[in-house]
């Protein structure tokens, strides 16, 4: 019974102890002004899981201060973690509320390391106490938490903390050294040193630590002890070596303490076994204010033992020592063969540093095993080795020579050239008097000799430079065969000859040119093929009698074409059509004809077939080539004259229509015209009345002669109607018209137009100036402007609008091509990533770059949609913008120019060829760009919808650009007084059309640029 009582009492004691340990500590409400720092060991012996228990321990202690003022005028809290090095994780000034501190404690990260408690205590004493981080009028406390013995001394730094008025608590866990904790903790030791056998027992210390820490934070600050400063004599330390070379190195050190009179440096060379050689010992004496010395006259690649001592008035101080090795004598670097010749090699190199005397170059000779030596001066960095053998490998070596001796050898291998002929020699583009010769250059050749001989024995030649790879031979006779030879020249040595033959054309003129299949807006032009032609140029424009009806145009076609349909012509207009033969960049004679388009047709047999009190039925005959029919009706009579006329468009297949919801017993004037694209035919009118209101039976009307066309219209029919069929008059009633229910007579349903740019296919490239005059801040405004523009295009990708961006200053670069992004968000993100570079402004080069690199089919440009280039620049260009701008217009690219700030308006007009100046925009500052946004968007979108040029299938190459620019020569331009230039398109042959193109497009070889 007695034993049972004892066990029961022990059980009660254990439960009480557990309850006491788990009971949260009391809140501290008496602390006023205090700086409390937790110095926490995070060494490897703790581990991630135990580190979490330490964080919980600190978290609970800090929560006891939730009822006091935290911050500048109250309690401030900090956490410093340490392993090999201490780091401030929570500074005293980081947070001003207890909640913020608690969140920061939860986010503490464990890194690991060795236990250097002494270093951590010194860090707190030196960086937080000595420099005034802790407040003088505040109580100061440091809570050290560690689980092991420090690997460095803790006594002195702990004493330094306590002497400065800091109360130090030492909390040891598991393997902590209790003797070491006693040295760290403040007096009395039993109040400030606490120990837990394991991390799980930290909770048992909470009440003691929090209560004693609260007591310390509630007391006035402890006074700092006055310690007499006794200077400790310390010799030079932190001895390091730098600036090592083959003959010198620099020694640096932290100065010794005390009254130093001088420094003495001893240096001894070491043997390969590391033994000091007393024979080579040297001594250097320096003044007391020196803390570094350049030691010279050392041996290359030698190990030395250095000793630095401070000299006092009567004794030598403690020495500092270090070992160091000099480097080898520096070699020549980047030794290479830079130029090969038939009998020579040119080598070059980068000179080494140091007091160089010169170089020695070694080259094998013709005798086996022997070499020749060449001595070179120290100021050279290249050399030509001559008198070598053709097509032979050589290994060349070079040594840098110093006063201490030569360096290691640097070697390179080169091969002399072989005497070879030119490659791929061809004769092409023969005309009646010219032949173009082309060949592949020979490496190392100093030039080329080109010779040609006619069948009659006439021989001529020309000497060309080393950069030539083609030459146009001129002044030849028509229909003659020529033998052409070319050979490379190597100085005074002639290379092998290559021969080819070609015959000039006997005739270069088109013999037959005719116009057929004439319609109101097109003419089919055909001609005979010309042998040897590389292409044809077709020009057309109205004759003087019809000036103003249309503008002159031209295009270039490939040599495979012998017919082309001229489209988008004005009706009933006579045209002058000319055809010229192209031989490369040379143009042969032309031939000219005239042709007149057909006049617009008009409706015949227009009549009213029946009527009721509210409807009139109409019919008419088909008009060839009409796209639509437009009917207009209006009541006639004195009281009804102010009624609004109503109109409706019908498909070309509709030949009957019924007007409904009309007024009873009322006469109506009804007009009809055929619509041909953008033009209306002549109006045909009739007058017909509705029946009385007593009935609504259909009354057949007698057949009357067809209405005749009139020249005066009672209202304008030129505007297109995009509204639904219902039309509202000024009176409070609505009338509507419906197609008669007969085949092909159903009126088209009403459609609601979408938002701007929403249903649109186009390839739009932005060319953005990033020159130095813009600056980073204004470039950000340009990016924002582009961002807003692209935001108007919801459908980006192959089925909608494609976007490309290039930037330029001195060198243009592509940011992304048309096929890079397939949705709007991706383009917008790419615009945000645009970077600014700066530089000069070369707009002309940039436009040419975009034509070659962006507008290419293999890089995403689509052949069946319109193309637009939007240029944004803030200043005048440093090169000529006109040639590339002409090319852009000639290949069917619509250009829009946006000038900002200092942009040159006249230059931008040249970019637009002084035409279509509604495509020119200007913002006086970068901040004004949003003001032109809406109008710019309308121009981009609606303008692109009206471009009818069909782009090339494969874009434009450099060769084609040169050809196009050649075609701009004034000698070949069509004489037109009202236009400064004539658009031109060069196109490659197209294959079968895809299912989306119209019948008129199938089989076409080129398209007109309008």
């Amino acid at each position: 019974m007695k034993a049972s009582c004892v066990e029961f009492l022990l059980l009660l004691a254990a439960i009480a102890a557990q309850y006491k340990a788990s009971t949260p500590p009391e809140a501290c409400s008496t602390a006023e002004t205090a700086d409390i720092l937790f110095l926490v060991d995070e060494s490897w012996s703790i581990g991630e899981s135990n580190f979490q228990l330490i964080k919980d321990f600190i978290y609970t202690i800090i929560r006891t201060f939730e009822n006091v003022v935290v911050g500048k005028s109250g309690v401030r809290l900090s956490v410093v973690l340490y392993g090999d090095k201490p780091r401030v994780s929570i500074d005293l000034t980081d947070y001003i509320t207890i909640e913020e501190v608690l969140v920061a404690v939860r986010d503490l990260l464990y890194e690991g390391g060795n236990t250097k408690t002494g270093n951590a205590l010194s860090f707190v004493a030196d960086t937080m106490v000595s420099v005034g981080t802790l407040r003088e009028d505040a109580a100061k406390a440091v809570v050290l938490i560690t689980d092991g013995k420090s690997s460095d001394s803790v006594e002195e730094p702990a004493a330094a903390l306590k002497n400065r008025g800091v109360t130090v608590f030492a909390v040891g866990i598991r393997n902590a050294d209790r003797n070491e904790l006693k040295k760290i903790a403040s007096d009395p030791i039993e109040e400030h040193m606490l120990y837990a056998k394991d991390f799980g027992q930290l909770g048992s210390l909470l009440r003691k630590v929090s209560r004693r820490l609260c007591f310390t934070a509630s007391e006035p600050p402890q006074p700092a002890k006055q310690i007499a400063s006794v200077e400790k004599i310390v010799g030079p330390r932190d001895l390091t070596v730098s600036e090592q070379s083959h003959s010198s190195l620099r020694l640096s050190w932290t100065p010794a303490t005390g009254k130093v009179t001088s420094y003495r440096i001893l240096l001894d060379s070491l043997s390969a076994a590391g033994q000091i050689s007393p024979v080579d010992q040297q001594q250097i004496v320096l003044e007391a204010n020196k803390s570094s010395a350049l030691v010279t006259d050392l041996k290359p690649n030698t190990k030395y033992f250095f000793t630095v001592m401070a000299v006092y008035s009567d004794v030598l101080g403690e020495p500092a020592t270090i070992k160091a090795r000099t480097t080898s004598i520096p070699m020549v670097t980047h030794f290479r063969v830079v130029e090969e010749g038939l009998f020579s090699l040119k080598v070059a190199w980068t000179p080494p540093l140091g007091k160089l005397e010169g170089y020695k170059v070694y080259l094998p000779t013709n005798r086996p095993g022997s070499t020749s030596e060449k001595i070179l001066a120290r100021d050279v960095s290249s050399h030509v080795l001559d008198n070598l053998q053709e097509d032979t490998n050589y290994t060349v070596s070079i040594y840098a020579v110093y006063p201490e001796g030569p360096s290691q050898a640097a070697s390179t291998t080169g091969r002399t050239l072989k005497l070879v002929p030119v490659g791929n020699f061809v004769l092409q583009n023969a005309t009646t008097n010219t032949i173009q010769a082309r060949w592949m250059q020979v490496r190392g050749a100093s030039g080329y000799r080109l010779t040609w001989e006619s069948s009659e024995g006439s021989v001529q030649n020309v000497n060309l430079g080393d950069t030539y790879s083609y030459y146009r031979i001129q002044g030849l006779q028509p229909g003659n065969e020529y033998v052409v030879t070319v050979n490379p020249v190597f100085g005074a040595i002639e290379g092998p000859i290559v021969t080819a033959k070609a015959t000039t054309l006997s005739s270069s003129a088109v013999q037959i040119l005719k116009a057929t299949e004439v319609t109101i807006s097109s003419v089919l032009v055909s001609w005979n093929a010309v042998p040897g032609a590389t292409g044809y140029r077709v020009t057309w424009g109205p004759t003087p009698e019809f000036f103003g009806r249309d503008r002159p145009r031209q295009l270039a076609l490939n040599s495979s074409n012998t017919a082309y349909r001229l489209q988008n012509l004005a009706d009933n207009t006579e045209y002058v059509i000319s055809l010229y033969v192209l031989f490369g960049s040379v143009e042969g004679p032309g031939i000219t004809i005239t042709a007149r388009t057909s006049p617009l047709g008009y409706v015949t047999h227009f009549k009213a077939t029946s009527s009721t009190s509210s409807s009139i039925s109409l019919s008419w005959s088909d008009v060839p080539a009409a796209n639509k029919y437009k009917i207009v009706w209006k009541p006639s009579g004195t009281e009804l004259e102010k009624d609004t006329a109503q109109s409706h468009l019908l498909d070309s297949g509709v030949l009957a229509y019924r007007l409904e919801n009309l007024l009873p017993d009322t006469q109506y004037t009804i007009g009809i015209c055929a619509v041909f694209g953008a033009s209306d035919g002549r109006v045909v009118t009739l007058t017909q009345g509705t029946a009385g209101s007593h009935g609504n039976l259909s009354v057949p009307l007698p057949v009357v002669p067809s209405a005749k066309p009139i020249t005066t219209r009672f209202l304008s029919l030129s505007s297109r109607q995009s509204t639904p069929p219902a039309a509202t008059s000024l009176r409070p009633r609505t009338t509507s018209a419906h197609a008669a229910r007969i085949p092909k007579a159903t009126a088209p349903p009403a459609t609601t137009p979408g938002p701007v740019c929403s249903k649109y296919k186009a390839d739009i490239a932005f060319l953005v100036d990033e020159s130095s005059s813009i600056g980073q801040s204004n470039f950000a405004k340009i990016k924002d402007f582009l961002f807003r523009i692209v935001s108007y295009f919801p459908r980006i990708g192959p089925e909608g609008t494609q976007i490309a961006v290039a930037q330029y200053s001195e060198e243009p670069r592509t940011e992304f091509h048309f096929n890079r992004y397939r949705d709007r968000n991706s383009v917008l993100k790419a615009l945000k990533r645009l970077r600014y570079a700066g530089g000069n402004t070369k707009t002309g080069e940039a436009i040419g770059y975009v034509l070659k690199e962006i507008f290419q089919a293999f890089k995403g440009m689509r052949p069946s949609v319109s193309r637009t280039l939007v240029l944004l620049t803030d200043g005048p260009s440093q090169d000529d913008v006109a040639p590339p701008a002409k090319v852009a217009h000639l290949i069917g690219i619509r250009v829009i120019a946006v000038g900002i700030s200092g942009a040159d308006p006249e230059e931008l007009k040249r970019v637009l060829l002084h035409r279509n100046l509604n495509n020119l925009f200007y913002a006086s500052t970068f901040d004004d760009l949003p003001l032109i946004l809406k109008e710019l968007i309308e121009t981009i979108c609606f303008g692109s919808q009206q471009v009818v040029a069909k782009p090339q299938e494969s874009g434009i190459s450099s060769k084609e650009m040169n050809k196009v620019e050649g075609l701009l020569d004034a000698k070949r331009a069509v004489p037109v007084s009202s236009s400064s230039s004539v658009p031109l398109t060069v196109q490659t042959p197209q294959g079968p059309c895809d299912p989306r193109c119209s019948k008129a497009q199938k089989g076409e070889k080129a398209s007109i640029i309008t």
Side-chain angles (χ1 to χ4, degrees):
M1 182 66 181
K2 184 177 180 180
S4 299
C5 290
V6 172
E7 293 175 357
F8 178 72
L9 291 174
L10 290 174
L11 179 60
L12 288 177
I15 294 174
Q18 184 177 3
Y19 173 77
K20 183 177 179 181
S22 61
T23 303
E26 298 177 359
C28 180
S29 59
T30 58
E32 294 184 357
T33 304
D35 287 338
I36 302 173
L37 186 146
F38 292 87
L39 185 60
V40 182
D41 180 3
E42 62 169 345
S43 59
W44 298 121
S45 59
I46 291 179
E48 187 75 45
S49 60
N50 291 332
F51 184 73
Q52 182 62 43
L53 295 176
I54 293 176
K55 286 168 41 176
D56 295 340
F57 180 71
I58 298 172
Y59 184 92
T60 306
I61 293 174
I62 292 176
R63 283 201 61 179
T64 62
F65 293 95
E66 60 186 356
N67 294 331
V68 299
V69 177
V70 176
K72 184 176 181 181
S73 60
V75 177
R76 299 192 304 176
L77 298 159
S78 174
V79 176
V80 176
L81 304 178
Y82 75 92
D84 292 295
K85 293 183 179 180
R87 55 191 180 95
V88 179
S89 296
I90 301 175
D91 205 349
L92 291 167
T93 58
D94 282 351
Y95 305 107
I96 61 173
T97 67
I98 195 72
E99 290 78 9
E100 293 175 330
V101 178
L102 292 173
V103 171
V105 170
R106 289 295 188 201
D107 293 338
L108 291 175
L109 298 178
Y110 170 74
E111 291 188 357
N114 298 308
T115 306
K116 292 189 177 182
T117 308
N119 184 38
L121 292 168
S122 297
F123 172 79
V124 174
D126 295 338
T127 63
M128 304 195 73
V129 179
S130 298
V131 300
T133 303
L134 303 182
R135 296 169 292 181
E136 292 184 4
D137 61 342
K140 308 170 190 62
V142 171
V143 181
L144 169 69
I145 305 173
T146 180
D147 80 323
K149 183 177 176 60
S150 176
S151 61
D152 56 359
S153 176
V154 300
E155 192 169 358
E156 287 189 13
L161 269 178
K162 292 182 282 188
N163 289 337
R164 291 184 173 95
V166 179
T167 301
V168 181
F169 293 85
V171 179
I173 311 168
R174 198 159 56 190
N175 297 323
D177 188 333
R178 298 197 184 199
N179 292 327
E180 188 175 78
L181 296 177
K182 291 178 181 179
K183 295 177 183 180
I184 296 173
S186 297
D187 293 327
I189 299 299
E190 60 273 10
E191 290 291 330
H192 296 92
M193 189 197 87
L194 299 98
Y195 180 80
K197 291 183 179 181
D198 205 344
F199 290 91
Q201 296 183 7
L202 275 175
S204 64
L205 304 180
L206 280 172
R207 294 177 64 84
K208 291 181 181 180
V209 175
S210 59
R211 184 174 61 251
R212 295 171 187 177
L213 191 59
C214 177
F215 180 76
T216 301
S218 304
E219 289 187 326
Q222 297 289 331
K225 293 182 180 180
Q226 298 297 324
I227 302 174
S229 60
V230 178
E231 183 180 15
K232 183 179 179 180
I233 301 299
V234 180
R237 58 193 186 279
D238 303 327
L239 182 60
T240 59
V241 175
S242 61
E243 302 178 20
Q244 291 167 274
S245 72
H246 68 283
S247 61
S248 65
L249 52 78
R250 180 175 292 279
L251 296 174
S252 303
W253 60 89
T254 301
T257 61
K259 295 182 179 180
V260 179
T261 60
S262 63
Y263 287 98
R264 186 177 298 172
I265 301 176
L266 299 179
L267 61 149
D268 301 277
S269 62
L270 300 178
S271 64
Q275 301 297 320
I276 294 177
S277 175
V279 179
D280 295 334
Q281 188 179 77
Q282 301 179 47
Q283 179 175 292
I284 302 172
V285 178
L286 300 174
E287 296 177 357
N289 61 350
K290 302 294 184 182
S291 60
S292 70
L294 182 65
V295 184
T296 59
D297 298 325
L298 303 180
K299 296 178 182 179
N301 196 26
T302 302
K303 195 171 185 179
Y304 286 90
F305 183 79
F306 297 93
T307 303
V308 180
M309 295 179 291
V311 180
Y312 298 90
S313 58
D314 52 352
V315 294
L316 291 174
E318 295 180 358
T321 61
I322 196 171
K323 294 179 182 179
R325 181 185 292 274
T326 53
T327 64
S328 301
I329 294 177
M331 297 170 49
V332 164
T333 56
H334 298 98
F335 186 48
R336 62 206 183 275
V337 175
V338 295
E339 185 178 311
E340 300 97 341
L342 278 175
F343 309 108
S344 64
L345 294 174
K346 183 177 181 180
V347 293
W349 60 89
T350 301
L353 301 175
K355 297 180 180 179
L356 191 67
E357 289 187 344
Y359 301 95
K360 287 185 179 180
V361 177
Y362 288 88
L363 181 72
T365 64
N366 296 332
R367 297 189 304 274
S370 63
T371 59
S372 66
E373 176 183 309
K374 182 73 174 179
I375 306 297
L376 303 177
R378 64 184 181 185
D379 58 347
V380 300
S381 59
S382 64
H383 180 65
V384 176
L385 304 168
D386 48 17
N387 298 321
L388 306 182
Q389 294 183 351
E390 173 197 353
D391 193 28
T392 304
N393 280 324
Y394 289 91
T395 299
V396 189
S397 301
I398 187 171
Y399 300 81
V401 181
Y402 288 84
E404 297 83 1
S407 69
Q408 295 292 321
S411 300
T412 188
T413 300
R415 187 181 186 91
T416 52
L417 298 178
K418 184 178 181 180
L419 198 63
V420 295
V422 301
N424 298 333
F425 182 49
V426 294
L427 302 177
Q428 56 188 201
N429 297 340
T431 68
T432 55
N433 60 353
T434 64
I435 296 175
Q436 186 178 69
R438 187 177 294 274
W439 61 90
M440 183 180 294
Q441 294 179 342
V442 176
R443 191 160 61 98
S446 60
Y448 301 91
R449 178 169 289 111
L450 187 68
T451 305
W452 60 94
E453 181 179 1
S454 69
S455 56
E456 300 172 353
S458 173
V459 179
Q460 299 182 61
N461 63 63
V462 62
N463 292 322
L464 305 172
D466 60 340
T467 60
Y468 278 78
S469 61
Y470 63 91
Y471 184 77
R472 181 174 295 280
I473 304 173
Q474 300 179 346
L476 307 180
Q477 296 299 317
N480 273 10
E481 182 182 63
Y482 286 84
V483 178
V484 184
T485 64
V486 64
N487 63 278
V489 178
F490 301 86
I493 299 176
E494 298 274 346
I497 293 175
V498 179
T499 302
K501 294 182 179 180
T503 302
T504 55
L505 299 179
S506 57
S507 174
S508 62
V510 174
Q511 304 299 322
I512 300 173
L513 178 65
K514 58 184 178 179
T516 58
E517 299 182 19
V518 178
T519 70
I520 60 174
S521 61
S522 67
V523 173
L524 180 63
V525 180
S526 58
W527 58 91
N528 65 289
V530 177
T534 60
Y536 302 95
R537 182 168 68 93
V538 181
T539 68
W540 67 96
T543 61
E545 180 184 357
F546 294 90
F547 274 173
R549 297 289 306 274
D550 200 356
R551 59 183 178 83
R553 281 171 280 179
Q554 65 173 340
L555 61 84
L557 299 171
N558 294 311
S559 58
S560 60
N561 292 318
T562 56
Y564 184 75
R565 182 176 297 279
L566 308 181
Q567 296 179 326
N568 299 320
L569 305 181
D571 62 278
N572 197 26
T573 302
E574 186 177 43
Y575 284 84
V576 176
I577 305 170
S578 300
L579 180 73
Y580 301 87
V581 187
L582 303 178
F583 300 93
S585 60
V586 178
E587 187 172 273
I591 185 172
T592 300
I593 61 172
T594 61
R596 182 164 182 162
T597 54
S598 302
L600 296 180
Y602 58 88
V603 172
T604 59
H605 301 97
F606 181 45
K607 57 188 176 181
T609 58
S610 65
S611 68
T612 69
S613 62
S614 61
S615 67
I616 297 176
S617 295
L618 307 169
S619 67
W620 58 90
S621 297
D622 180 46
V623 178
N627 305 116
K628 299 278 185 180
Y629 294 104
K630 185 175 183 179
I631 295 181
V632 182
W633 65 96
K634 181 181 180 182
S636 57
T638 305
E639 297 182 357
L640 303 176
E641 286 296 335
K642 295 182 180 181
D643 273 14
T644 302
Q646 300 177 65
S647 64
H648 187 60
L649 283 175
L650 299 172
D651 289 337
S652 58
V654 178
L655 301 178
Y657 192 73
R658 184 170 69 246
L659 306 180
E660 294 188 347
N661 295 334
L662 304 181
L663 297 175
D665 197 21
T666 303
Q667 292 291 317
Y668 281 86
T669 301
I670 307 170
I672 188 171
C673 68
V675 179
F676 304 88
S679 302
D680 292 346
R682 287 181 293 174
V683 180
V684 176
T685 63
L686 59 79
T687 301
Q688 176 63 43
T690 55
S693 59
H694 59 276
N696 197 29
L697 297 176
S698 177
V699 180
L701 299 176
V703 177
V704 296
S706 300
K708 299 298 183 182
I710 60 173
T711 57
T712 303
R713 307 179 186 183
F714 62 87
L715 73 161
S716 174
L717 298 179
S718 61
S719 60
R720 308 266 69 79
Q721 178 173 321
S722 60
T723 59
T728 304
S729 70
L730 294 178
R731 296 186 178 185
R733 58 183 175 83
T734 301
T735 61
S736 60
H738 300 279
R741 299 187 181 275
I742 60 176
K744 297 184 181 182
T746 303
T751 58
T752 303
V756 174
C757 309
S758 62
K759 296 183 179 179
Y760 193 86
K761 283 192 176 182
D763 288 343
I764 304 174
F766 293 92
L767 180 57
V768 183
D769 183 358
E770 59 170 348
S771 57
S772 298
S773 59
I774 292 178
Q776 188 69 52
S777 61
N778 287 332
F779 187 73
K781 297 173 184 177
I782 292 179
K783 288 169 57 177
D784 179 69
F785 186 56
L786 295 176
F787 191 94
R788 296 189 185 193
I789 293 174
V790 174
S791 298
Y792 278 85
F793 296 88
R795 296 181 61 205
I796 288 183
E799 300 303 322
T801 302
Q802 293 190 147
I803 303 294
V805 174
Q807 295 180 229
Y808 76 95
S809 52
E810 296 182 36
E811 295 291 337
R813 69 178 191 273
T814 301
E815 290 298 337
F816 52 87
H817 290 96
F818 289 122
N819 58 359
R820 178 66 176 85
Y821 298 112
R822 305 173 75 89
D823 61 88
R824 179 167 60 183
N825 287 340
S826 298
V827 176
L828 296 178
K829 290 178 181 178
L831 292 176
K832 290 183 178 180
R833 293 193 297 266
L834 294 181
R835 64 191 188 282
Y836 171 71
N840 296 319
T841 306
K842 292 189 177 181
T843 307
E845 181 181 347
I847 295 174
Y849 172 86
V850 168
L851 300 182
K852 295 179 183 179
E853 299 297 329
I854 300 292
F855 287 102
Q856 295 291 339
F858 67 92
K859 293 185 178 179
M861 186 196 74
R862 294 169 293 179
S864 59
V865 302
S866 62
R867 301 162 294 171
T868 300
L869 172 61
V870 181
L871 167 68
L872 294 94
T873 181
D874 83 319
S877 177
Q878 296 174 341
D879 57 2
D880 191 1
V881 300
K886 288 181 180 178
V887 175
H889 287 272
L890 295 174
I891 64 174
I893 296 176
R894 189 171 64 111
V895 180
I896 297 175
V898 179
I900 314 166
S901 186
D904 184 357
E906 291 301 318
E907 181 178 86
L908 296 180
K909 291 179 182 178
R910 290 197 297 274
V911 171
L912 301 178
L913 304 186
H914 291 275
R915 298 181 301 172
N916 300 325
L917 296 185
N918 56 326
N919 290 347
L920 176 59
F921 295 84
Y922 183 81
S924 57
T925 67
F926 289 89
D927 293 327
D928 292 338
L929 283 173
L931 302 180
I932 64 172
L933 177 63
K934 182 177 179 181
E935 188 175 354
L936 177 62
I937 289 295
E938 293 176 351
T939 301
I940 293 175
C941 298
F942 296 127
S944 295
Q945 290 174 328
Q946 297 173 7
V947 173
V948 298
K950 186 169 69 174
Q952 304 181 133
E953 290 288 344
S954 60
I956 180 165
S957 64
S958 300
K959 178 179 177 182
E960 289 172 326
M961 288 185 70
N962 294 333
K963 183 185 296 185
V964 172
E965 292 186 73
L967 293 172
L968 288 172
D969 194 295
K971 295 183 295 182
R972 309 183 190 101
V974 176
V976 181
S977 59
S978 61
S979 177
S980 60
S981 63
V982 181
L984 179 64
T985 289
V986 178
Q987 297 185 335
T988 57
Q990 300 179 11
C993 188
D994 63 40
R996 293 172 295 176
C997 63
S998 64
K999 292 182 179 180
Q1001 292 176 314
K1002 292 185 178 179
E1004 291 182 352
K1005 304 299 182 180
S1007 296
I1008 305 169
I1009 302 300
T1010 57

